[in-house]
């Protein structure tokens, strides 16, 4: 999870999804996994300009994994959210 701002990344929390309690190889297609992350920011979050980016990557290659929408269309390698 990263927080992106006009000046670049202002915060990041990097850990395996599900931590050690719910490993990805246990997941099933269509299953939803929710978790909470705390991110220290270099400055206060501005909802007008900042975006929360969520993505996954292969821990061996550090390559980001593709993200697809519900129709199977590639939307990129991170999902952006502006609260």
């Amino acid at each position: 999870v990263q927080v992106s701002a006009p000046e670049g990344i202002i915060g990041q929390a990097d850990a395996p999804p599900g931590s050690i309690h719910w490993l990805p190889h246990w997941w099933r297609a269509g299953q939803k996994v929710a978790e909470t992350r705390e991110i220290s920011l270099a400055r206060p979050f501005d909802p007008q300009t900042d975006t929360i980016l969520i993505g996954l990557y292969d821990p061996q290659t550090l390559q980001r994994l593709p993200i697809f929408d519900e129709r199977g269309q590639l939307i990129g390698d991170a999902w952006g959210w502006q609260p």
Side-chain angles (χ1 to χ4, degrees):
V1 178
Q2 298 175 321
V3 178
S4 177
E7 66 271 23
I9 301 299
I10 60 169
Q12 179 171 318
D14 191 26
S19 187
I20 61 170
H21 306 290
W22 195 243
L23 299 174
H25 66 272
W26 295 341
W27 300 354
R28 299 293 172 247
Q31 183 176 11
K32 294 181 180 182
V33 176
E35 59 186 334
T36 301
R37 301 279 179 186
E38 289 188 28
I39 303 173
S40 297
L41 302 178
R43 61 156 176 76
F45 183 82
D46 181 349
Q48 299 298 314
T49 61
D50 301 344
T51 302
I52 298 169
L53 299 172
I54 302 166
L56 299 172
Y57 64 90
D58 182 319
Q60 293 180 352
T61 65
L62 301 181
Q63 293 290 321
R64 284 185 180 254
L65 301 177
I67 297 176
F68 299 90
D69 68 14
E70 60 277 354
R71 296 179 314 271
Q73 299 296 312
L74 178 66
I75 59 173
D77 64 5
W79 179 75
W81 181 57
Q82 285 187 290

